Amino acid sequence: MSEFSRSSGPCGGGGDSHDPAGCAEVIAEVWTLLDGECTPETRRKLRQHLEACPECLRHYGLEERIKALIATKCKGEKAPEGLRERLRLEIRRTTIIRGGF
Ligand SMILES: [Zn+2]
């Protein structure tokens, strides 16, 4: 049920087709990271997406911060409060603009 067998990846495969649904899904995953969980699956998903379509996160200026967050979280450290708060605000704004939520 939770396997993503329908389409093998949000932006994977094609190069040109930028899938907004996949991007919104990935951005939603970042919430999980903010709340303190970094599973290998989440990390791989985000990393993959950043590599597959960096433009989507860069467009919102989130790329650098999410990279930093992944690096921090996956080392088992706590993300600094400032980073967390700013990401929360920016992600919320992003998802509102996109109408994803
Ligand atoms: Zn994307």
Side-chain angles (χ1 to χ4, degrees), residues 11 18-19 22-23 49 53 56-57:
C11 296
H18 187 233
D19 180 5
C23 295
H49 194 88
C53 88
C56 91
L57 293 175

Side-chain angles (χ1 to χ4, degrees), residues 1 4 7 10 18 23 35 37 41 46 51 56 67-68 71 74 77 80 92-93 99:
M1 232 176 131
F4 46 97
S7 55
H18 187 233
C23 295
D35 286 333
E37 287 175 43
E41 196 190 334
L46 292 175
E51 276 163 32
C56 91
K67 271 185 183 168
C74 294
E77 290 168 22
R92 179 170 298 167
R93 208 171 52 204

Side-chain angles (χ1 to χ4, degrees), residues 46-85:
L46 292 175
R47 278 249 169 97
Q48 249 174 22
H49 194 88
L50 279 171
E51 276 163 32
C53 88
E55 76 213 63
C56 91
L57 293 175
R58 189 178 299 150
H59 181 72
Y60 299 109
L62 291 174
E63 190 193 22
E64 296 284 308
R65 269 159 277 201
I66 288 175
K67 271 185 183 168
L69 185 71
I70 293 174
T72 309
K73 281 296 195 177
C74 294
K75 265 192 235 159
E77 290 168 22
K78 278 195 168 185
E81 272 307 307
L83 178 66
R84 272 179 64 133
E85 282 310 304

